């Protein structure tokens, strides 16, 4: 099993960022640990957070200088280490967006979010221990799948994973942005009556 030696990334430029990113060429490790997989990233989604980080003081959480941008991606497994159990070549996967939170039950752990506190998703290839990966649905395009761990999970969590939804429930959705529209789709599929607000267009 082989993989490229080098790959391209999108990194925030050196401070002051002045709203710029740059393409860098980087090197993949020559050998893998037994639990590692190499992924080829086909799509990464862009969020407001990626823009906020390009402004000095624009992002309220911790954020490394010159980090690789992006938190959410869709990728294909191209190499598996000797002890990898869950995944196989060709599997479509995403990377858990915060490497410190894998079960939802971690307490008092230091956050390790992609794109801010560790290398992000905007790169051609990456190496991860298999525990950080999750399989993607087969029916979604790479681009669609690259949004799942962002807007989709935010909407899902805000509906508490659709647990204990009362009969004839109604949900009020603010606006027509990414999270709201995903929330709307979940409402329609699960029988919740949605009411969506929309700000009036301002004529130019
Ligand atoms: N995207 C993610 O992956 C993600 C993950 C975690 C948390 N979040 C959070 O979820 C929220 C929505 O994110 P998003 O990605 O859906 O953003 P978005 O696509 O930019 O949508 C922003 C929404 O806010 C509404 N809005 C903006 N200014 C408003 C105002 N002055 N009054 C009323 N409504 C206003 C817009 O309404 P109109 O449609 O009427 O313009 C739109 O629905 C943000 O707080 C974000 O930080 C997002």
């Amino acid at each position: 099993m082989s993989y490229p030696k080098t790959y391209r990334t999108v990194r925030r430029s050196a401070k002051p960022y002045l709203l710029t990113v740059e393409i860098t060429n980087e090197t993949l490790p020559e050998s893998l640990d037994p639990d590692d997989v190499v992924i080829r990233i086909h799509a990464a989604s862009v969020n407001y957070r990626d823009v906020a980080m390009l402004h000095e003081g624009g992002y309220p959480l911790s954020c490394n200088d010159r980090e690789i941008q992006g938190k959410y991606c869709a990728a294909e497994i191209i190499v598996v280490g000797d002890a990898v159990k869950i995944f196989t070549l060709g599997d479509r996967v995403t990377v858990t967006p915060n490497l410190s939170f894998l079960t939802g039950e971690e307490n008092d752990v230091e956050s390790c979010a992609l794109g801010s506190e560790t290398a992000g998703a905007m790169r051609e290839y990456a190496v991860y221990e298999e525990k950080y990966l999750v399989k993607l649905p087969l029916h979604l395009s790479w681009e669609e799948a690259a949004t799942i761990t962002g807007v989709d999970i935010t909407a899902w969590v805000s509906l508490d994973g659709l647990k204990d939804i009362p009969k004839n429930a109604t949900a009020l959705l603010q606006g027509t942005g990414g999270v709201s529209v995903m929330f709307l789709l979940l409402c329609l599929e699960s029988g919740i009556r949605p009411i969506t607000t929309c700000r009036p267009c301002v004529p130019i």
Side-chain angles (χ1 to χ4, degrees):
M1 290 183 286
S2 65
Y3 52 91
K5 285 193 175 120
T6 60
Y7 65 104
R8 288 177 303 168
T9 82
V10 177
R11 275 194 188 274
R12 292 191 281 283
S13 304
K15 279 182 176 177
Y17 298 135
L18 300 176
L19 291 175
T20 58
V21 292
E22 52 197 65
I23 306 293
T24 62
N25 285 298
E26 316 221 352
T27 311
L28 283 168
E30 280 180 18
S31 61
L32 299 180
D33 287 337
D35 292 334
D36 283 347
V37 300
V38 183
I39 59 171
R40 178 177 171 219
I41 297 175
H42 285 268
S45 59
V46 180
N47 269 257
Y48 180 73
R49 137 192 222 274
D50 301 300
V51 179
M53 287 176 193
L54 299 180
H55 292 80
E56 194 73 52
Y59 188 66
L61 305 176
S62 65
C63 183
N64 298 339
D65 286 344
R66 293 211 70 239
E67 191 53 272
I68 299 175
Q69 286 272 74
K71 196 172 181 186
Y72 314 112
C73 68
E76 171 192 4
I77 292 191
I78 60 161
V79 177
V80 293
D82 294 338
V84 168
K85 294 188 189 73
I86 302 167
F87 299 103
T88 187
L89 295 185
D91 278 352
R92 291 160 62 95
V93 294
T94 186
V95 184
T96 194
N98 192 313
L99 304 185
S100 292
F101 303 110
L102 300 182
T103 66
E105 291 174 4
E106 293 85 356
N107 292 314
D108 299 325
V109 292
E110 207 165 305
S111 169
C112 187
L114 268 59
S116 52
E117 294 156 326
T118 189
M122 293 188 193
R123 48 181 163 157
E124 292 175 314
Y125 296 91
V127 177
Y128 285 103
E129 273 182 66
E130 68 169 335
K131 69 179 181 184
Y132 295 120
L133 304 181
V134 180
K135 282 189 187 170
L136 287 170
L138 296 178
H139 64 282
L140 297 179
S141 68
W142 293 117
E143 291 80 5
E144 288 167 335
T147 69
I148 283 189
T149 44
V151 287
D152 302 28
I153 286 183
T154 305
W156 174 258
V157 168
S158 64
L159 275 166
D160 199 18
L162 292 174
K163 281 184 293 196
D164 304 324
I165 302 289
K167 251 189 161 183
N168 304 319
T170 299
L172 176 62
L173 323 184
Q174 182 178 325
T176 54
V179 173
S180 284
V181 168
M182 189 62 215
F183 196 113
L184 175 65
L185 294 174
L186 291 174
C187 286
L188 295 176
E189 278 300 308
S190 55
I192 299 169
R193 178 172 169 253
I195 300 174
T196 300
T197 67
C198 186
R199 289 177 297 164
C201 291
V202 181
I204 358 177

